[in-house]
Amino acid sequence: MSRIALLSEEVASQVAAGEVVERPASVVKELVENSLDAGAGRVEVRIARGGASLVRVVDDGCGMDRDDALLCLERHATSKIRSGADLATVATLGFRGEALPSIASVSRFTLSTREHDAISGTEIVVAGGRIREVRDGGEAPGTSIEVRSLFYNLPARRKFLRAENTEAGHVEHQLHLQAIGHPGTGFSFIRDGHLVFQLPPAPALRDRIRDLHGAGFLESLIPVGDGPPGPVTVSGLIGKPGVSRASRVQQIVFVNGRAIENPAINHALREGYHTALMKGQFPVTFLFLEMDPALVDVNVHPAKREVRFRDPSLVREAVTDAVRCAIENARGSWNEAFRPGPPAISPAPASAPPEAYPETPALIPEREQRVLRGDWSSFSPAPAGPAASAAGYESVGPAAPAAGYESVGPAAPAAGYENAPDSAGGFRILGVLGKLYVLMENASGLVLVDQHAAHERILFEELRRRMEQQGVPGQHLLLPPTIAVTPKDREWLLGNLGTLQRMGIGLEEFGPSTFKLDTLPEYLMGGDPAQTVRDIIDELRQAGSGASRVRMGEDVIATTVCRHAVKAHDTLREPELVKLIEDLLACELPYCCPHGRPTMIQISHAELEKKFGRRV
Ligand code: ADP
Ligand code: MG
């Protein structure tokens, strides 16, 4: 007797359903995609008990005639492609012709549909994949699909469903994706009889995001796009530097209108943000990539979540460049808030002038001051003259010389903050909170600056600039320590001696498993030099071993170095604070430290007024 038999249609559909229908959210995804492909202007999604008991999707799309309504329940029945060649140019969300029969095979399923110009519609009732009834229906034009008792005939699958809240959460996330991907379509979501959201058709992505997440959230985003036209265009909105999430939930990327996950894009985003993203955090993105469908294979995953790019590096570069540009451009709006001129609201009456700043002598340690100041003259070997002064901070900002560190000293009068120049840099320092947060006023309102984060950013950019130019000068150690290394460390070190040298760390091979440490940069002096260098090597290696190693470069190194360089809890005096802020504002990326933490928090006049109940 032969052992092989063809599976019945019913069983084959159930097998296919295993891939396409994982949970209620997958049903919602497939049905909503069909509605969008049908040109719906509005889609209503209703679920009950997390979707396990009911998912209903109603649209006002093109609808189907009776023949199509019957045919769409057959496996591999689709109106979206006709030949294998069409696969290379799919512009619709669906194309597999599998979703409806799969869903119908694992639920109690009712399809009601009517074309716009038809006198009556069709209603088909299916249970476990078998058509039970076909009748005329008088519903509104469009399509309504009702899926009840999901997996009722697959108890093993049903057991895998999570708590109602979890499943409903997945459904809602799925709907967010679709709503963001298609702002022109109106969406409403009803859960257990309660309206969760109702989104009118929106003219643009910004409006859709405002409707979904509120105006405050929209303010935390910056626009991407307007780059040179190329094979891949990138547009949308992304989080400002310092805005991030602990997971990828809001890292949303569409390729030709389809929400997808792709490791190359994940890396590209990280790379684009670079130091503007906190370690272990994920960017917030609503990014839209458009490209010739022939450049992307969507037929990789049954649920079409993944795609494969013909040329991943092309896509990676486009995304990285777009994000980097967006972050650079955003700097302009920040600077707006610091433009010189009178603040929007006149400062509070000086009824009680702030106390003179306490005369604490502890400042930034002398050597860090020099780094900050760009004064490397005392370092040996001395850096090349003209280049050094070009990169020095003296050249930064119009007010720099006046507020430079030179004026600081025991003899400097303990100036009250009200004397601070409020027009030079477009800010006025009000005081320091807890020895750490600088409070200031700018055109937009109140600004809090994390003194240490600011310091780190300034040092980081300074060191990076130096490494790109003549390299950071190293100081010769009187007693060069030796560092024992493992064979693997040795190999890594030999390959990176040049880079380390540019950081001012001079190492020389000294026997088969030993290196001699000849020089250290000034900012790393103090402590145990051998241990410091060993720590740095470990960190660099870690940074370099990640799969995303696109830029095992000087910035990573400077980041690492900075972490070692800035530790002190310093009390700064007013002119130094002014200088610190001016230097910070002159940075390329002033609003976050090299580890992506924010350096400044702006609290706008509007927010303050709201807090004090002056406006609602
Ligand atoms: P696919 O979307 O991959 O073509 P489906 O099984 O999801 O496969 O749907 C089969 C066909 O049914 C679609 O190609 C489409 O022609 C039709 N269809 C499904 N849903 C709708 C809808 N909401 N409105 C109009 N036609 C629909
Ligand atoms: Mg489909």
PDB file of all heavy atoms in Angstrom, residues 277-289:
ATOM      1  N   LEU A 277      22.407  58.332  20.215  1.00  0.00           N
ATOM      2  CA  LEU A 277      21.542  57.272  20.729  1.00  0.00           C
ATOM      3  C   LEU A 277      22.188  56.619  21.936  1.00  0.00           C
ATOM      4  O   LEU A 277      23.345  56.212  21.887  1.00  0.00           O
ATOM      5  CB  LEU A 277      21.320  56.229  19.633  1.00  0.00           C
ATOM      6  CG  LEU A 277      20.237  55.207  19.923  1.00  0.00           C
ATOM      7  CD1 LEU A 277      18.879  55.889  19.955  1.00  0.00           C
ATOM      8  CD2 LEU A 277      20.245  54.121  18.868  1.00  0.00           C
ATOM      9  N   MET A 278      21.426  56.535  23.000  1.00  0.00           N
ATOM     10  CA  MET A 278      21.945  55.945  24.215  1.00  0.00           C
ATOM     11  C   MET A 278      22.199  54.454  24.028  1.00  0.00           C
ATOM     12  O   MET A 278      21.446  53.791  23.340  1.00  0.00           O
ATOM     13  CB  MET A 278      20.912  56.148  25.314  1.00  0.00           C
ATOM     14  CG  MET A 278      21.457  56.657  26.595  1.00  0.00           C
ATOM     15  SD  MET A 278      20.170  56.714  27.834  1.00  0.00           S
ATOM     16  CE  MET A 278      19.278  58.186  27.368  1.00  0.00           C
ATOM     17  N   LYS A 279      23.254  53.991  24.661  1.00  0.00           N
ATOM     18  CA  LYS A 279      23.591  52.574  24.544  1.00  0.00           C
ATOM     19  C   LYS A 279      22.433  51.728  25.054  1.00  0.00           C
ATOM     20  O   LYS A 279      21.841  52.048  26.075  1.00  0.00           O
ATOM     21  CB  LYS A 279      24.842  52.307  25.392  1.00  0.00           C
ATOM     22  CG  LYS A 279      25.703  51.224  24.839  1.00  0.00           C
ATOM     23  CD  LYS A 279      27.001  51.129  25.606  1.00  0.00           C
ATOM     24  CE  LYS A 279      27.670  49.833  25.280  1.00  0.00           C
ATOM     25  NZ  LYS A 279      28.719  49.502  26.231  1.00  0.00           N
ATOM     26  N   GLY A 280      22.109  50.661  24.362  1.00  0.00           N
ATOM     27  CA  GLY A 280      21.035  49.773  24.801  1.00  0.00           C
ATOM     28  C   GLY A 280      19.648  50.313  24.501  1.00  0.00           C
ATOM     29  O   GLY A 280      18.654  49.671  24.777  1.00  0.00           O
ATOM     30  N   GLN A 281      19.555  51.508  23.954  1.00  0.00           N
ATOM     31  CA  GLN A 281      18.253  52.078  23.601  1.00  0.00           C
ATOM     32  C   GLN A 281      18.018  51.932  22.095  1.00  0.00           C
ATOM     33  O   GLN A 281      18.962  51.694  21.338  1.00  0.00           O
ATOM     34  CB  GLN A 281      18.212  53.558  23.969  1.00  0.00           C
ATOM     35  CG  GLN A 281      18.239  53.825  25.448  1.00  0.00           C
ATOM     36  CD  GLN A 281      16.878  53.564  26.097  1.00  0.00           C
ATOM     37  OE1 GLN A 281      16.676  52.525  26.689  1.00  0.00           O
ATOM     38  NE2 GLN A 281      15.954  54.489  25.974  1.00  0.00           N
ATOM     39  N   PHE A 282      16.778  52.116  21.703  1.00  0.00           N
ATOM     40  CA  PHE A 282      16.449  51.988  20.279  1.00  0.00           C
ATOM     41  C   PHE A 282      15.833  53.286  19.775  1.00  0.00           C
ATOM     42  O   PHE A 282      15.135  53.969  20.519  1.00  0.00           O
ATOM     43  CB  PHE A 282      15.500  50.819  20.061  1.00  0.00           C
ATOM     44  CG  PHE A 282      16.113  49.506  20.445  1.00  0.00           C
ATOM     45  CD1 PHE A 282      15.940  49.000  21.721  1.00  0.00           C
ATOM     46  CD2 PHE A 282      16.898  48.809  19.556  1.00  0.00           C
ATOM     47  CE1 PHE A 282      16.529  47.808  22.102  1.00  0.00           C
ATOM     48  CE2 PHE A 282      17.494  47.614  19.917  1.00  0.00           C
ATOM     49  CZ  PHE A 282      17.315  47.118  21.190  1.00  0.00           C
ATOM     50  N   PRO A 283      16.087  53.597  18.525  1.00  0.00           N
ATOM     51  CA  PRO A 283      15.537  54.840  18.009  1.00  0.00           C
ATOM     52  C   PRO A 283      14.026  54.777  17.840  1.00  0.00           C
ATOM     53  O   PRO A 283      13.443  53.696  17.764  1.00  0.00           O
ATOM     54  CB  PRO A 283      16.216  55.004  16.651  1.00  0.00           C
ATOM     55  CG  PRO A 283      16.855  53.730  16.324  1.00  0.00           C
ATOM     56  CD  PRO A 283      16.930  52.900  17.554  1.00  0.00           C
ATOM     57  N   VAL A 284      13.433  55.949  17.804  1.00  0.00           N
ATOM     58  CA  VAL A 284      12.011  56.077  17.483  1.00  0.00           C
ATOM     59  C   VAL A 284      11.967  56.541  16.026  1.00  0.00           C
ATOM     60  O   VAL A 284      12.522  57.581  15.699  1.00  0.00           O
ATOM     61  CB  VAL A 284      11.372  57.140  18.389  1.00  0.00           C
ATOM     62  CG1 VAL A 284       9.956  57.454  17.933  1.00  0.00           C
ATOM     63  CG2 VAL A 284      11.382  56.667  19.833  1.00  0.00           C
ATOM     64  N   THR A 285      11.365  55.733  15.165  1.00  0.00           N
ATOM     65  CA  THR A 285      11.350  56.130  13.754  1.00  0.00           C
ATOM     66  C   THR A 285       9.999  55.828  13.120  1.00  0.00           C
ATOM     67  O   THR A 285       9.324  54.864  13.488  1.00  0.00           O
ATOM     68  CB  THR A 285      12.407  55.372  12.923  1.00  0.00           C
ATOM     69  OG1 THR A 285      12.031  53.994  12.847  1.00  0.00           O
ATOM     70  CG2 THR A 285      13.786  55.479  13.513  1.00  0.00           C
ATOM     71  N   PHE A 286       9.642  56.680  12.195  1.00  0.00           N
ATOM     72  CA  PHE A 286       8.502  56.428  11.310  1.00  0.00           C
ATOM     73  C   PHE A 286       9.058  56.681   9.920  1.00  0.00           C
ATOM     74  O   PHE A 286       8.920  57.761   9.365  1.00  0.00           O
ATOM     75  CB  PHE A 286       7.354  57.381  11.632  1.00  0.00           C
ATOM     76  CG  PHE A 286       6.904  57.278  13.057  1.00  0.00           C
ATOM     77  CD1 PHE A 286       7.434  58.096  14.036  1.00  0.00           C
ATOM     78  CD2 PHE A 286       5.973  56.320  13.429  1.00  0.00           C
ATOM     79  CE1 PHE A 286       7.039  57.984  15.360  1.00  0.00           C
ATOM     80  CE2 PHE A 286       5.564  56.199  14.749  1.00  0.00           C
ATOM     81  CZ  PHE A 286       6.105  57.032  15.714  1.00  0.00           C
ATOM     82  N   LEU A 287       9.754  55.697   9.428  1.00  0.00           N
ATOM     83  CA  LEU A 287      10.579  55.899   8.245  1.00  0.00           C
ATOM     84  C   LEU A 287       9.954  55.197   7.052  1.00  0.00           C
ATOM     85  O   LEU A 287       9.479  54.071   7.164  1.00  0.00           O
ATOM     86  CB  LEU A 287      11.954  55.296   8.544  1.00  0.00           C
ATOM     87  CG  LEU A 287      13.153  55.977   7.916  1.00  0.00           C
ATOM     88  CD1 LEU A 287      13.225  57.428   8.339  1.00  0.00           C
ATOM     89  CD2 LEU A 287      14.423  55.251   8.338  1.00  0.00           C
ATOM     90  N   PHE A 288       9.973  55.884   5.929  1.00  0.00           N
ATOM     91  CA  PHE A 288       9.379  55.330   4.709  1.00  0.00           C
ATOM     92  C   PHE A 288      10.437  55.233   3.632  1.00  0.00           C
ATOM     93  O   PHE A 288      10.994  56.242   3.215  1.00  0.00           O
ATOM     94  CB  PHE A 288       8.240  56.222   4.225  1.00  0.00           C
ATOM     95  CG  PHE A 288       7.060  56.180   5.148  1.00  0.00           C
ATOM     96  CD1 PHE A 288       7.099  56.832   6.365  1.00  0.00           C
ATOM     97  CD2 PHE A 288       5.927  55.467   4.821  1.00  0.00           C
ATOM     98  CE1 PHE A 288       6.027  56.780   7.240  1.00  0.00           C
ATOM     99  CE2 PHE A 288       4.844  55.403   5.680  1.00  0.00           C
ATOM    100  CZ  PHE A 288       4.896  56.060   6.890  1.00  0.00           C
ATOM    101  N   LEU A 289      10.698  54.003   3.192  1.00  0.00           N
ATOM    102  CA  LEU A 289      11.643  53.802   2.099  1.00  0.00           C
ATOM    103  C   LEU A 289      10.849  53.468   0.843  1.00  0.00           C
ATOM    104  O   LEU A 289       9.943  52.621   0.885  1.00  0.00           O
ATOM    105  CB  LEU A 289      12.576  52.621   2.404  1.00  0.00           C
ATOM    106  CG  LEU A 289      13.811  52.912   3.249  1.00  0.00           C
ATOM    107  CD1 LEU A 289      13.430  53.335   4.639  1.00  0.00           C
ATOM    108  CD2 LEU A 289      14.694  51.683   3.319  1.00  0.00           C
TER     109      LEU A 289
END
